[in-house]
Amino acid sequence: MTRPEGPARRVQIAHIATEHYLRGRTRIEIAEATGLSRFKVGRLLEEGIASGIVRFEIVSPSGVRLDLSVELRTRFGLDHAVVVDVPVDTAEALQSSLGEAAAELLQEILSEDDVLGLTSGRTLNAMARRLEQLPCHRVVQLAGAAGPILQNGLEVMRRLSTIPGVRPHPIYSPLVMSDRQAAAGVRRQPDVRQTFEQFDRVSVAVGAIGSWRPRNSLMMENRALTDLDRERVLRRGVVAELAATLVTDAGTVVHDLDARCISITEAQLRAVPTVIAVAGGTTKTRAIRAVLNARLLSGLVTDSETAERLIGARR
């Protein structure tokens, strides 16, 4: 006749679990102290978890969703994934929260020998405002200016250049030129050429992601692009860009505008050891997924609702 589990067994399990999980004693040490075999100790620990006597809690500090961060990292094979809860459903709150999380991540992963590359965007400006110091010294603008002054890469570089010890390498040029000859002329300029020479030295790149479907992209709004230019690229299936690298839903890179862009190339971007995107929100979800499908990223900073959509919990 099998005896029902009673309070004595539950107390025994609680005692063994306390010794092992809270006091750090090994199974062999507990076995010697209790007169049980180490295998019996192991079974009691497993029973404690299965029965709910032993519970584990992973606490998410500072608004970081650790569960979604781990799941996103695993789902897309990323080295870095930071998912944050955004307290208020506004674009400004989203940009502020993602910018703060990205700034904290950079402070953690950058070393003195790193060369940091940056694109542009409101979220990256929010990140730059949070950075009062940088572990590294060289900061490189990865793409020409796109959008209003407070959103483009030059503003990001201006903010970071105020940090003591930082040596900026800006690009004083629009992101997209009217034709390939004009772009070639810009690349020949000494100051632009000097910045381009830094691309191969970049070890950590941080960029915003632009969405072409739905329309939420500084590059797409560039005045050098005509309506015909946009229509042709959209017909090719482009839904997103990172720097000036255009990608489709399937992650295929489209090179139609490469010759007109003042930017790091796809090949150079892929050669950067760590590439982190900072992006979130409903209008960016499809674009983020496309860039992930292109395997351009080793890291992502995003919000919890976007993370849920990306991993398939929400469509």
Side-chain angles (χ1 to χ4, degrees), residues 86 88-99 122-123 126 129:
V86 179
V88 182
D89 186 18
T90 65
E92 292 76 13
L94 177 65
Q95 293 151 17
S96 178
S97 295
L98 296 186
R122 291 177 290 268
T123 306
R129 286 193 294 270

Side-chain angles (χ1 to χ4, degrees), residues 18 75 81 105 163 171 207 229 232 275 281:
T18 299
R75 170 70 174 78
L105 179 61
I163 298 175
I171 298 176
D229 289 329
R232 286 172 176 169
V275 179

Side-chain angles (χ1 to χ4, degrees), residues 223-239:
R223 293 180 180 178
L225 290 179
T226 66
D227 289 340
L228 182 59
D229 289 329
R230 297 184 186 93
E231 290 171 7
R232 286 172 176 169
V233 171
L234 288 170
R235 281 200 301 269
R236 295 269 279 147
V238 168
V239 298

